[in-house]
Amino acid sequence: MSKSHPHKARKRFGQNFLHDMGIIRRIVACIAPKEGQRIVEIGPGKGALTEGIISVTKRMDVVELDRDLIPILRVNLFRYPDLTVHEADAMKFDFESLANEGNIRVVGNLPYNISTPLIFHLLSFAEKIDDMHFMLQKEVVDRLAARPGDNLYGRLSVMAQYYCRVESLFIVGPESFDPPPKVDSAIVRMMPHKTLPFVANDLKMLEDMVRIGFQQRRKTLRNNYKGVLNDEDFAALGIDPSLRPERLDVEDFVNIANHVSKKD
Ligand code: SAM
């Protein structure tokens, strides 16, 4: 792949381009693309990951916001006529529009400045997605995969695990990128549940209850849910109100949301 194109990496687009072929091959091996699969890449940049995937699948959709990168991407991938480039903001992109023949797979070395809101946006399409593989700031991967009781367990862990099985795969150091980011990165695999293990009757309520629950991590549940849940409610839910929020699992938060929806 040609690296001679002049393009200055833009911080505001979270651009850190992968150049370590060993890491690129390892990521593609984790994705394990198959011919004909519909894989959608967010932020293809100059195509570091794209080529390893499209050379197997033969077709691919990519969503890229920086229009100056698109001609470079097209030149680098000129051998693949079935590459469809969507010049768009992934945060506003309707991923369901690509799931017309069946579910899609989503991959990307995501722009770190928008990774959390982007993951929330993608979770809203979870039913249409078979799996997602992302490179993210390591701390975000740790948050996504954290289990009850872990330091980083919080709102992102609960909402991601409501929809998906989350697996942290491996760490990637800054030297694999150009320019190198200031922090370690990691690869995460997120597999949306085919059937949700616990179903919130009102999603907005679940989001609200998770947000309220973690408002003050050092405080007890009784404190955080003041005015929302009383001791009778906690007793009915079988939850000890003197616990801190990080002790609750996804099922507990779903039970709280469904209990409050019923009360209202
Ligand atoms: N995939 C390339 C690689 O691994 O070398 C580039 C990764 S770079 C970390 C993030 C990419 O996402 C850049 O190409 C950037 O222009 C693109 N990007 C940033 N914000 C975006 C957005 N809102 N929607 C789509 N692409 C975006």
Side-chain angles (χ1 to χ4, degrees), residues 7 10-19 24 27 41-50 62-67 69 73 86-93 95 107-114 118 135 176-178:
H7 176 276
R10 295 193 167 114
K11 227 179 166 166
R12 74 189 151 98
F13 288 143
Q15 291 175 350
N16 300 95
F17 299 105
L18 262 173
H19 65 75
I24 293 170
I27 298 171
E41 183 181 3
I42 298 174
K46 302 177 203 174
L49 288 174
T50 324
V62 297
V63 182
E64 175 58 62
L65 182 60
D66 183 352
R67 67 162 64 122
L69 281 174
L73 182 69
H86 305 267
E87 186 193 320
D89 181 349
M91 293 275 283
K92 299 188 186 135
F93 193 78
F95 288 89
V107 304
N109 170 12
L110 298 187
Y112 293 173
N113 47 345
I114 56 162
L118 188 51
M135 169 95 76
S176 297
F177 302 84
D178 179 27

Side-chain angles (χ1 to χ4, degrees), residues 28-40:
V28 174
C30 288
I31 297 168
K34 304 271 180 311
E35 187 165 354
Q37 279 179 341
R38 188 116 193 221
I39 301 191
V40 182

Side-chain angles (χ1 to χ4, degrees), residues 61-239:
D61 288 85
V62 297
V63 182
E64 175 58 62
L65 182 60
D66 183 352
R67 67 162 64 122
D68 292 346
L69 281 174
I70 292 176
I72 302 174
L73 182 69
R74 286 200 193 281
V75 168
N76 287 343
L77 297 175
F78 75 95
R79 285 184 214 85
Y80 305 98
D82 292 330
L83 171 73
T84 307
V85 181
H86 305 267
E87 186 193 320
D89 181 349
M91 293 275 283
K92 299 188 186 135
F93 193 78
D94 175 13
F95 288 89
E96 188 169 354
S97 68
L98 301 180
N100 47 349
E101 300 162 24
N103 276 12
I104 55 173
R105 305 184 67 198
V106 183
V107 304
N109 170 12
L110 298 187
Y112 293 173
N113 47 345
I114 56 162
S115 56
T116 303
L118 188 51
I119 286 174
F120 275 102
H121 179 59
L122 285 160
L123 290 175
S124 70
F125 299 101
E127 260 178 51
K128 301 286 173 190
I129 297 176
D130 274 340
D131 61 11
M132 304 181 255
H133 289 81
F134 298 127
M135 169 95 76
L136 295 165
Q137 211 172 308
K138 178 179 174 293
E139 191 193 312
V140 177
V141 171
D142 291 344
R143 282 184 194 284
L144 286 165
R147 308 298 304 171
D150 291 350
N151 267 345
L152 291 176
Y153 183 70
R155 182 172 161 248
L156 188 59
S157 334
V158 175
M159 292 314 299
Q161 293 168 37
Y162 173 75
Y163 291 103
C164 305
R165 189 163 69 77
V166 180
E167 212 182 325
S168 164
L169 298 181
F170 61 92
I171 296 172
V172 181
E175 65 287 350
S176 297
F177 302 84
D178 179 27
K182 291 200 174 66
V183 290
D184 273 341
S185 304
I187 304 292
V188 67
R189 173 182 289 144
M190 300 172 68
M191 313 257 303
H193 302 298
K194 295 276 173 242
T195 310
L196 288 177
F198 315 105
V199 181
N201 301 328
D202 175 350
L203 261 176
K204 171 79 174 52
M205 180 66 82
L206 176 66
E207 284 163 8
D208 287 349
M209 289 303 118
V210 174
R211 205 189 50 251
I212 294 171
F214 283 107
Q215 224 150 32
Q216 305 198 64
R217 296 181 61 89
R218 308 257 131 234
K219 295 265 166 84
T220 63
L221 293 169
R222 183 183 282 116
N223 227 294
N224 282 342
Y225 285 112
K226 203 169 262 168
V228 181
L229 296 175
N230 56 31
D231 279 5
E232 248 172 55
D233 294 315
F234 281 113
L237 285 161
I239 294 175

